[in-house]
Amino acid sequence: MNSSNSISPVNLTDLNTSNLPTHVAIIMDGNGRWAKKHRINRIQGHEKGSEAVREVVQTCREIGIRHLTLYAFSTENWQRPKKEVDALMVLLKRFLKSERKEMHEKNIRMSVIGQIERLPQDVRAELQKVMTLTKKNSALHLHLALSYGARAEIVRMAQVVSQKCKSGQIDPEAIDEQCVAEHLYTHGIPDPDLLIRTSGEMRISNFLLWQIAYTELYVTPTLWPDFGKDEFVHILKDYQSRDRRFGRV
Ligand code: FPP
């Protein structure tokens, strides 16, 4: 599904508001291929991708989704050419500056998961501004995964938990799933109900490995810059048709 394979406009009232996913997570993939298809450079593809970010955030707010996690930059993305990494950081900063006011007015709270200490100082300052401004907001909670990798998150959890065992704060015998979850970046956030990946790749790419144990998956061939409200609502309708059994009969 993409702009050339059009998706019929949908009516939001078709959605069953009592069966919405509480938490939607998205692997936003395909900016580079979109750029290639349109014979422009990869950075312009990311620029177009940030417009799609804006649309999906506003759509979640409108529909009443409570948590949205966007995989915006992975730990592996640091290995891309410096020019592309720098451009992504500039785009992120631009996005934070331009969206800050509207996010706050629309009662959207923004937080970050990942190794924020690795981000450039100016980006961290901008993130801090938005997080501080929006911290009491309660409609939609937007989680940006930045310099995020699930394996690094699990390693960090193991280090913190073992330190706490050493200092006597945690009894090793008492370590259970709840204890692990409480020491991940996502503590306090419900696990995703629905994970969407754009651009057709059938993989998880080191995203929320612990948290997606029982998450419903949806992979669309649409390249991220072409992803919009109509397709998002179609996916929500598909989600609503699924029978979630969580390992039970
Ligand atoms: C994947 O496309 C996308 C990314 C690595 C970054 C996602 C970034 C954005 C959507 C824009 C900026 C983000 C915000 C929050 C404003 P790709 O480059 O891997 O595409 P390809 O697989 O087709 O090459």
Side-chain angles (χ1 to χ4, degrees), residues 155-193:
V155 168
R156 178 180 166 274
M157 174 279 297
Q159 288 169 342
V160 175
V161 170
S162 54
Q163 275 303 328
K164 288 189 178 176
C165 287
K166 225 165 137 184
S167 66
Q169 282 173 270
I170 292 180
D171 170 6
E173 304 282 328
I175 298 173
D176 55 9
E177 291 187 11
Q178 194 189 330
C179 170
V180 170
E182 277 169 7
H183 289 84
L184 296 174
Y185 290 124
T186 49
H187 58 90
I189 307 170
D191 288 340
D193 301 290

Side-chain angles (χ1 to χ4, degrees), residues 54-149:
R54 184 186 146 75
E55 181 167 334
V56 89
V57 170
Q58 298 305 337
T59 303
C60 283
R61 172 68 182 92
E62 192 183 342
I63 292 172
I65 304 286
R66 302 306 305 275
H67 293 270
L68 171 68
T69 301
L70 297 177
Y71 203 6
F73 194 86
S74 71
T75 45
E76 290 73 25
N77 288 155
W78 289 115
Q79 288 155 33
R80 291 191 176 199
K82 184 175 181 319
K83 202 172 150 204
E84 185 170 341
V85 171
D86 290 348
L88 279 166
M89 293 300 143
V90 168
L91 261 180
L92 176 61
K93 205 171 136 186
R94 201 187 295 162
F95 173 85
L96 294 167
K97 276 188 166 175
S98 67
E99 300 303 308
R100 183 171 64 214
K101 189 164 171 275
E102 194 175 346
M103 275 202 253
H104 191 43
E105 281 166 4
K106 293 202 166 152
N107 197 16
I108 298 171
R109 177 176 172 194
M110 198 203 75
S111 307
V112 178
I113 56 169
Q115 304 164 329
I116 15 176
E117 64 285 358
R118 291 181 74 184
L119 299 169
Q121 174 52 39
D122 58 337
V123 173
R124 284 193 337 244
E126 215 51 61
L127 284 167
Q128 203 51 58
K129 250 191 231 172
V130 185
M131 290 194 289
T132 306
L133 177 72
T134 63
K135 72 175 182 213
K136 294 203 173 115
N137 292 348
S138 57
L140 165 67
H141 195 162
L142 168 65
H143 310 274
L144 284 186
L146 290 171
S147 190
Y148 174 86

Side-chain angles (χ1 to χ4, degrees), residues 15-25 60 63-68 139-140 190-196 215-216 232-233 235-241 244:
L15 283 174
N16 172 2
T17 49
S18 65
N19 181 25
L20 285 172
T22 302
H23 184 175
V24 177
C60 283
I63 292 172
I65 304 286
R66 302 306 305 275
H67 293 270
L68 171 68
L140 165 67
D191 288 340
D193 301 290
L194 172 64
L195 170 64
I196 301 169
T215 298
E216 295 295 319
F232 188 58
V233 177
I235 294 172
L236 292 177
K237 284 185 76 180
D238 180 274
Y239 167 86
Q240 294 190 327
S241 72
R244 299 187 74 193

Side-chain angles (χ1 to χ4, degrees), residues 28-33 42 46 49-50 53 72 77 80 95 224:
M28 309 181 288
D29 193 16
N31 293 347
R33 273 160 287 171
R42 293 180 58 82
H46 292 311
S50 61
V53 170
N77 288 155
R80 291 191 176 199
F95 173 85
W224 176 252

